[in-house]
Amino acid sequence: MVRQLGLVLVASCIWGSASAQTVERFSILANNEKVGFVVATSNGRAIDIDYAVDNNGRGPKHKEHLVLNEGGIPVEWTIDGTSLMGGGVHEKMRWENGKAEWDAQADKGSVDAPAAKLYVANDPSPYSSGLYAAALLKAPGNTLDVLPAGNLRLEKIREVKVGDGANTATVDAYMLAGIDMVPEFLLLDKQGKLFAKLGGSLAVREGFEDSFKSLRSLGEQLSLEKLQLVQQKIAHKYDAPIRIRNVKIFDPKTKKTADAMSVVVFRGRITTIEPDAKATNPSDEVIVDGQGGTLVAGLHDMHSHNSLWSGPFYLAAGVTSVRDMGNDNTVLLDLMKRLDAGELPGPSIIPSGFLEGRSPYSARNGFIPESIAEGLRNVDWYGDRGYIQIKIYNSMNPDWVAPFATEAKRIGMRTVGHVPAFDNPDRVLADGYNEISHINQLMLGWLLAPEEDTRTPLRLTGMARAATLDLNSAKVRKTVDLFKKKNAGLDTTTVILERLMLSRAGTVQAGDQAYLDHAPIGYQRYRKRTFVPLKDAAEDAQYFKAFDKILATMALLHKEGIKLWPGTDDMTGFTLHRELELYVKAGIPAGEVLRMASFDADQYMVRDQQYGSVERGKRADFFLTVGDPSKDISAVRQIRMVMKDGVIYFPQEIYEALNIKSFATPPSVTEPVKSAAASQRDAASSAFTGTRTGFGEDDEHDLGD
């Protein structure tokens, strides 16, 4: 699933003789380092699973018990333990006598089912993917309706080989769709058993641990092939001028909209803006009827962690630029190259160079220098590749911050990041931070004792103490004044704090209500959970009071003139819409919020001469939405069309390709009337180049070549 990207799962099978017992042992790795395990013990049709992950100071830990029927469908399934951030997990499902019942974090229910139906668990281990695949292999068309709702589909891609020399295996690659926002890619052996999982987790049987890099590359290649097909289907490119009529245009200078305008785009640039009453409909132009909607310069997510699959989600949400705040260096640079070439759908990426310290809690991204000298070389490496800033993370030695920030400044880069464990906001600002990442990283400096360790889930649970924080206190005032003195900013990611602090089992959180029922069933259920451990009703209420104080902190910082940058720490685009709503909820006017997320962000990243507003001569990065988000920020959720570098995308088509119900219909588009000779030339060119327009069977067989 999208919530745990970049993990590898390694398994071995030990077959007993008389008892027919099998034991499958899995090592879970991130960036080729072990961060957890799964042990699955099978006795006949019963399976017991022990599962634990500890990565970046967090991870699920639970035990599962399953009983399968003769067809391999679970008829009993219990899961007990904790989820990602320590919230309790107590899930159970049972099918008996023609009735299926389940009780999980997300929901509880029962249905009449004469035959057992496949149940998609709320909190399973990665082992579940093999169970789903095994059931789908036996199903007509490799498709099954599932409980509590929706359906799963398994699609064979091609045969692949894993390993080297004598230690090789020939397996089949499959795509499993319908669980989460993005599909999972699996490798199954010739008996149909799980050999490797390349989707949200990478998995391989014991003895193939050294295949980590090749398996990760294979997963990326399979995703790449699928997304290249998506891009061919959803990217609408025209060499003729594109005239968008009858639209309002958001002006970030006035923070208001101008009515009834006409905008012309040609080869990626805005060439004409005029009152719609004066515009004509030339026969050689593409005409888009905006029907009174609003054009807004493309939004920014100022805190992203990009993947191949994040791109189409961002575009559908009107996000045309993102600031990546930490990634695998090789993967990110390759992704940026492909996006810039138009090979894949997605926003422009402004990269940040990730620097982490070595500890049992280390995040596995970027570089983990073992010395100041090595870290300085890492800073230079990022600078030589055009990174705009370095980002320092939780386990960094506080004494190393100043030299790294000094070197970054010397070569023209900013320094941003978390407040390292046992450090504090005042010191990192004094040491050279231009920006703190996450509002909780700022506020924890006012809430925790110096010896408390923020590399653990305390960086979330400690926020409950904000309920009684006095924003007029001397310690708050000192930090605010230091922000102003250093002209520093804050990358808020308030939406993630809302999600982690206020999500409760069985309920749809306010920030998810606008879109969640459009998503696949597994993602819907994942969002309806309690992330934080709760002792009682009083502690529950304390988190809600604490979140109100977070919004009050945003209001204080904004009033003091401190730059706030909307970011999500997520990849769906939906969360950026909620982040903007939270800015308005904190008391910032919608027009000002819209400017922050567009023009101000581009100005901060020295791109405003080309981006950030709908003006003649600028790059054509903008979106068309129903209503006026400068008056009602939630109008950003109803996007009808997005233009990225002059290429048109319709969110409806993007969501259909991603198995998500759309939110708004595209505007009407009238293409130029071609002469007979021109039509014949285009047809001949299309036939010669083999242009694809959809996802027919031939396209899918091409993936297996």
Side-chain angles (χ1 to χ4, degrees):
M1 292 203 172
V2 297
R3 51 190 176 271
Q4 290 184 44
L5 295 176
L7 298 181
V8 166
L9 182 67
V10 188
S12 68
C13 298
I14 302 173
W15 295 83
S17 52
S19 64
Q21 181 186 83
T22 65
V23 179
E24 298 169 88
R25 301 185 186 278
F26 299 77
S27 297
I28 302 177
L29 297 89
N31 201 19
N32 223 9
E33 297 183 22
K34 184 172 180 178
V35 296
F37 64 86
V38 174
V39 178
T41 303
S42 300
N43 285 287
R45 295 177 183 169
I47 306 173
D48 288 283
I49 300 169
D50 192 5
Y51 171 47
V53 174
D54 192 357
N55 185 23
N56 192 13
R58 58 195 178 193
K61 298 171 179 62
H62 61 243
K63 297 182 185 298
E64 302 178 54
H65 174 75
L66 298 95
V67 176
L68 311 181
N69 68 6
E70 63 280 0
I73 302 291
V75 293
E76 181 180 334
W77 198 340
T78 60
I79 307 173
D80 287 284
T82 56
S83 61
L84 179 68
M85 300 300 293
V89 172
H90 306 286
E91 181 173 1
K92 56 185 178 181
M93 185 281 299
R94 187 177 185 86
W95 177 86
E96 190 174 32
N97 299 325
K99 188 173 185 178
E101 298 180 288
W102 66 91
D103 188 348
Q105 281 209 76
D107 48 42
K108 61 188 302 184
S110 64
V111 296
D112 292 330
K117 293 183 69 174
L118 186 63
Y119 171 76
V120 176
N122 201 164
D123 285 280
S125 68
Y127 192 84
S128 62
S129 295
L131 295 173
Y132 302 148
L136 288 163
L137 282 173
K138 301 175 183 178
N142 300 137
T143 301
L144 281 174
D145 291 333
V146 296
L147 296 175
N151 62 77
L152 302 187
R153 177 172 58 89
L154 190 69
E155 176 185 312
K156 185 175 180 179
I157 302 174
R158 63 167 173 261
E159 186 177 84
V160 299
K161 289 185 178 180
V162 179
D164 296 307
N167 190 32
T168 61
T170 301
V171 294
D172 294 314
Y174 287 83
M175 184 181 77
L176 174 61
I179 299 175
D180 208 340
M181 289 288 210
V182 302
E184 295 179 355
F185 292 94
L186 310 176
L187 302 183
L188 304 182
D189 66 18
K190 297 304 181 179
Q191 288 72 47
K193 291 183 65 67
L194 182 67
F195 179 87
K197 180 177 177 181
L198 312 175
S201 303
L202 296 178
V204 65
R205 291 178 185 171
E206 190 173 58
F208 290 86
E209 293 90 337
D210 291 342
S211 298
F212 174 90
K213 290 183 179 179
S214 62
L215 285 169
R216 184 178 63 182
S217 296
L218 175 61
E220 291 166 357
Q221 181 62 32
L222 296 176
S223 290
L224 178 63
E225 292 168 0
K226 180 59 68 175
L227 284 166
Q228 286 171 330
L229 294 177
V230 170
Q231 174 73 339
Q232 292 174 23
K233 182 177 182 180
I234 66 176
H236 300 273
K237 302 177 182 179
Y238 298 97
D239 196 47
I242 303 168
R243 182 178 295 273
I244 307 166
R245 300 202 55 175
N246 189 20
V247 290
K248 299 186 285 286
I249 299 175
F250 174 70
D251 181 353
K253 297 183 180 68
T254 64
K255 306 169 193 172
K256 297 179 181 179
T257 56
D259 290 337
M261 302 299 290
S262 177
V263 177
V264 180
V265 172
F266 183 59
R267 295 181 179 174
R269 288 196 180 275
I270 300 168
T271 55
T272 302
I273 299 177
E274 60 184 344
D276 198 57
K278 295 184 178 181
T280 60
N281 286 350
S283 61
D284 61 347
E285 293 185 354
V286 177
I287 307 298
V288 178
D289 184 359
Q291 297 179 309
T294 304
L295 285 187
V296 182
L299 300 175
H300 286 255
D301 186 338
M302 294 290 276
H303 195 119
S304 69
H305 297 280
N306 296 276
S307 70
L308 287 167
W309 286 96
S310 63
F313 285 101
Y314 273 130
L315 284 185
V319 180
T320 59
S321 299
V322 296
R323 185 174 61 164
D324 192 288
M325 296 295 281
N327 218 312
D328 179 284
N329 294 330
T330 302
V331 170
L332 182 63
L333 290 172
D334 182 70
L335 176 59
M336 291 170 61
K337 180 176 67 175
R338 293 180 184 278
L339 289 171
D340 291 343
E343 181 181 345
L344 298 173
S348 299
I349 297 176
I350 296 91
S352 306
F354 195 88
L355 291 175
E356 170 68 309
R358 176 67 64 185
S359 83
Y361 303 99
S362 297
R364 275 78 175 181
N365 276 325
F367 292 120
I368 305 179
E370 303 292 346
S371 66
I372 291 178
E374 182 180 347
L376 293 174
R377 290 193 296 272
N378 297 153
V379 173
D380 293 342
W381 189 95
Y382 286 126
D384 290 344
R385 285 155 182 79
Y387 283 60
I388 192 172
Q389 61 194 27
I390 58 169
K391 180 191 176 185
I392 291 174
Y393 207 61
N394 293 325
S395 293
M396 182 59 67
N397 184 331
D399 293 336
W400 296 8
V401 171
F404 293 165
T406 299
E407 178 64 6
K409 183 178 181 180
R410 184 188 72 81
I411 60 177
M413 298 171 69
R414 297 188 181 103
T415 298
V416 308
H418 287 209
V419 176
F422 315 115
D423 209 336
N424 63 74
D426 294 353
R427 182 180 174 186
V428 298
L429 289 170
D431 283 344
Y433 266 36
N434 300 101
E435 187 182 319
I436 289 178
S437 302
H438 308 294
I439 195 166
N440 60 313
Q441 289 287 317
L442 166 64
M443 296 178 68
L444 288 170
W446 305 328
L447 300 173
L448 302 184
E451 66 275 9
E452 292 186 282
D453 192 346
T454 54
R455 296 172 298 179
T456 70
L458 181 65
R459 62 182 183 268
L460 169 64
T461 58
M463 288 300 296
R465 305 180 197 179
T468 57
L469 176 65
D470 179 5
L471 291 178
N472 295 313
S473 64
K475 58 186 175 183
V476 173
R477 187 71 254 170
K478 179 183 177 184
T479 305
V480 170
D481 288 343
L482 192 55
F483 260 103
K484 295 167 71 173
K485 178 181 178 181
K486 297 291 185 178
N487 193 29
L490 176 68
D491 155 23
T492 51
T493 67
T494 306
V495 62
I496 293 300
L497 272 295
E498 180 189 44
R499 172 169 288 171
L500 295 177
M501 293 169 64
L502 304 190
S503 291
R504 295 295 181 266
T507 64
V508 179
Q509 191 194 74
D512 296 327
Q513 289 175 0
Y515 75 88
L516 194 60
D517 61 353
H518 290 240
I521 186 61
Y523 187 82
Q524 288 188 41
R525 302 191 79 211
Y526 183 75
R527 288 271 68 90
K528 295 185 283 186
R529 65 178 53 232
T530 302
F531 284 96
V532 292
L534 297 171
K535 293 182 296 187
D536 50 36
E539 187 172 53
D540 188 340
Q542 188 178 14
Y543 276 105
F544 283 85
K545 292 178 181 177
F547 188 74
D548 288 341
K549 194 59 63 74
I550 291 175
L551 297 179
T553 301
M554 291 176 65
L556 169 66
L557 297 175
H558 178 256
K559 180 181 178 181
E560 293 285 346
I562 295 168
K563 292 290 187 182
L564 303 179
W565 303 116
T568 68
D569 211 7
D570 192 41
M571 59 179 281
T572 65
F574 303 123
T575 42
L576 182 66
H577 296 161
R578 181 56 178 172
E579 177 85 348
L580 302 185
E581 289 174 342
L582 290 172
Y583 271 55
V584 173
K585 190 173 181 180
I588 305 173
E592 192 164 349
V593 173
L594 207 56
R595 173 181 167 128
M596 289 178 179
S598 54
F599 181 81
D600 286 352
D602 276 312
Q603 188 177 57
Y604 183 59
M605 292 185 288
V606 199
R607 302 170 78 240
D608 55 300
Q609 295 300 309
Q610 297 289 324
Y611 300 93
S613 57
V614 181
E615 295 184 67
R616 187 178 190 280
K618 287 195 172 184
R619 299 297 301 176
D621 275 26
F622 52 72
F623 62 91
L624 171 67
T625 187
V626 178
D628 185 349
S630 71
K631 297 176 181 177
D632 176 9
I633 198 65
S634 295
V636 296
R637 294 187 180 274
Q638 298 293 316
I639 295 177
R640 305 185 68 191
M641 182 185 79
V642 178
M643 187 170 280
K644 172 70 174 65
D645 281 330
V647 179
I648 290 177
Y649 297 88
F650 299 116
Q652 183 181 61
E653 293 181 349
I654 296 175
Y655 287 132
E656 286 174 354
L658 298 172
N659 296 312
I660 295 171
K661 292 184 289 184
S662 63
F663 301 84
T665 58
S668 64
V669 178
T670 304
E671 298 186 6
V673 177
K674 295 181 180 179
S675 67
S679 297
Q680 290 176 354
R681 286 195 303 270
D682 288 350
S685 174
S686 177
F688 178 77
T689 58
T691 301
R692 298 176 182 172
T693 57
F695 291 99
E697 285 189 10
D698 289 342
D699 287 330
E700 296 306 328
H701 286 306
D702 284 346
L703 290 177
D705 292 341

